[in-house]
Protein backbone atom coordinates (compact mmCIF):
# COMPACT_ATOMS: atom_id res chain seq x y z
CA UNK A 1 0.00 0.00 0.00
CA UNK A 2 1.10 3.51 -0.61
CA UNK A 3 0.50 6.95 0.82
CA UNK A 4 -0.79 7.93 -2.57
CA UNK A 5 -4.00 6.37 -3.81
CA UNK A 6 -5.67 6.70 -7.16
CA UNK A 7 -6.34 10.23 -8.38
CA UNK A 8 -3.22 11.68 -6.73
CA UNK A 9 -4.86 11.94 -3.33
CA UNK A 10 -3.42 10.93 0.02
CA UNK A 11 -5.02 8.38 2.34
CA UNK A 12 -3.02 9.78 5.25
CA UNK A 13 -1.29 6.64 6.54
CA UNK A 14 2.22 5.96 5.19
CA UNK A 15 3.21 2.37 4.46
CA UNK A 16 5.55 2.21 7.49
CA UNK A 17 2.62 2.96 9.83
CA UNK A 18 0.24 0.34 8.46
CA UNK A 19 2.00 -2.19 10.70
CA UNK A 20 0.86 -0.19 13.75
CA UNK A 21 -2.70 -1.28 13.06
CA UNK A 22 -4.08 -4.59 14.27
CA UNK A 23 -4.50 -5.96 10.78
CA UNK A 24 -4.47 -5.23 7.09
CA UNK A 25 -8.27 -5.39 7.23
CA UNK A 26 -8.32 -2.64 9.87
CA UNK A 27 -6.15 -0.51 7.59
CA UNK A 28 -8.50 -1.10 4.67
CA UNK A 29 -11.52 -0.12 6.78
CA UNK A 30 -9.78 3.01 8.04
CA UNK A 31 -8.53 3.92 4.59
CA UNK A 32 -12.01 3.53 3.10
CA UNK A 33 -13.47 5.83 5.78
CA UNK A 34 -10.82 8.55 5.50
CA UNK A 35 -11.55 11.57 3.35
CA UNK A 36 -9.31 11.99 0.34
CA UNK A 37 -7.10 15.06 0.47
CA UNK A 38 -4.93 16.53 -2.24
CA UNK A 39 -1.24 15.79 -1.65
CA UNK A 40 -0.62 19.55 -1.48
CA UNK A 41 -2.62 19.58 1.77
CA UNK A 42 0.38 18.00 3.50
CA UNK A 43 2.74 20.65 2.14
CA UNK A 44 0.86 23.62 3.61
CA UNK A 45 1.84 25.23 6.88
CA UNK A 46 -0.66 26.64 9.33
CA UNK A 47 0.48 29.35 11.67
CA UNK A 48 -1.32 29.42 15.01
CA UNK A 49 -3.12 32.62 15.94
CA UNK A 50 -1.29 35.00 18.26
CA UNK A 51 -1.79 34.24 21.94
CA UNK A 52 -3.00 30.65 21.46
CA UNK A 53 -0.46 29.31 23.98
CA UNK A 54 -2.15 31.21 26.80
CA UNK A 55 -5.61 29.84 26.00
CA UNK A 56 -7.07 26.69 27.54
CA UNK A 57 -5.01 23.83 26.11
CA UNK A 58 -4.21 20.27 27.09
CA UNK A 59 -1.93 17.64 25.58
CA UNK A 60 -2.24 13.89 25.22
CA UNK A 61 1.00 12.18 24.28
CA UNK A 62 0.95 8.67 22.82
CA UNK A 63 4.51 7.43 22.85
CA UNK A 64 7.71 9.38 22.43
CA UNK A 65 7.31 10.63 18.86
CA UNK A 66 6.26 14.12 19.92
CA UNK A 67 8.52 14.55 22.96
CA UNK A 68 9.27 18.18 22.08
CA UNK A 69 5.57 19.00 21.93
CA UNK A 70 4.99 17.25 25.27
CA UNK A 71 7.82 19.27 26.83
CA UNK A 72 6.29 22.44 25.37
CA UNK A 73 2.91 21.62 26.93
CA UNK A 74 4.51 20.92 30.29
CA UNK A 75 6.56 24.11 30.09
CA UNK A 76 3.33 26.06 29.60
CA UNK A 77 1.67 24.19 32.47
CA UNK A 78 -1.06 22.64 30.38
CA UNK A 79 -2.78 19.54 31.71
CA UNK A 80 -0.91 16.63 30.10
CA UNK A 81 -1.19 12.88 30.03
CA UNK A 82 1.49 10.59 28.64
CA UNK A 83 0.10 7.30 27.36
CA UNK A 84 2.55 4.52 26.62
CA UNK A 85 1.27 3.87 23.13
CA UNK A 86 1.92 4.68 19.50
CA UNK A 87 0.88 7.21 16.89
CA UNK A 88 -2.39 5.43 16.11
CA UNK A 89 -3.09 4.27 19.65
CA UNK A 90 -6.63 5.60 19.53
CA UNK A 91 -7.37 2.76 17.12
CA UNK A 92 -6.03 0.16 19.55
CA UNK A 93 -7.65 1.49 22.70
CA UNK A 94 -10.39 3.97 21.76
CA UNK A 95 -12.20 3.75 25.12
CA UNK A 96 -9.01 4.43 27.07
CA UNK A 97 -8.04 7.37 24.84
CA UNK A 98 -11.56 8.82 25.06
CA UNK A 99 -11.49 8.55 28.86
CA UNK A 100 -8.14 10.34 29.02
CA UNK A 101 -9.38 13.09 26.68
CA UNK A 102 -12.46 13.52 28.90
CA UNK A 103 -10.20 13.84 31.97
CA UNK A 104 -8.05 16.42 30.20
CA UNK A 105 -11.19 18.33 29.22
CA UNK A 106 -12.37 18.25 32.84
CA UNK A 107 -9.01 19.59 33.95
CA UNK A 108 -9.47 22.51 31.55
CA UNK A 109 -12.95 23.21 32.90
CA UNK A 110 -11.64 23.51 36.43
CA UNK A 111 -8.67 25.69 35.45
Amino acid sequence: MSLMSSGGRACGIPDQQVGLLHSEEMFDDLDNDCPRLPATYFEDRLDPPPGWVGELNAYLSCGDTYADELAFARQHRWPVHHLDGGHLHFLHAPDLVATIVAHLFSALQSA
Side-chain angles (χ1 to χ4, degrees):
M1 295 194 185
S2 167
L3 176 62
M4 300 306 293
S5 63
S6 63
R9 296 181 181 272
C11 71
I13 300 178
D15 287 344
Q16 65 270 25
Q17 292 183 354
V18 173
L20 298 175
L21 300 172
H22 286 296
S23 67
E24 192 79 18
E25 182 179 319
M26 181 185 261
F27 171 83
D28 290 339
D29 290 344
L30 179 64
D31 186 45
N32 288 333
D33 290 341
C34 285
R36 296 299 184 243
L37 301 169
T40 56
Y41 172 85
F42 299 98
E43 298 168 1
D44 289 342
R45 178 182 166 93
L46 296 175
D47 293 318
W52 74 273
V53 172
E55 298 296 323
L56 292 177
N57 298 294
Y59 194 80
L60 171 58
S61 171
C62 295
D64 298 324
T65 303
Y66 296 99
D68 291 343
E69 289 80 359
L70 178 60
F72 180 88
R74 286 182 170 146
Q75 176 187 358
H76 289 87
R77 299 181 184 208
W78 298 352
V80 299
H81 186 96
H82 178 74
L83 180 63
D84 190 23
H87 179 67
L88 299 172
H89 198 73
F90 64 93
L91 295 172
H92 294 281
D95 293 340
L96 174 62
V97 172
T99 299
I100 293 168
V101 169
H103 286 300
L104 288 171
F105 182 74
S106 293
L108 291 175
Q109 298 305 303
S110 62

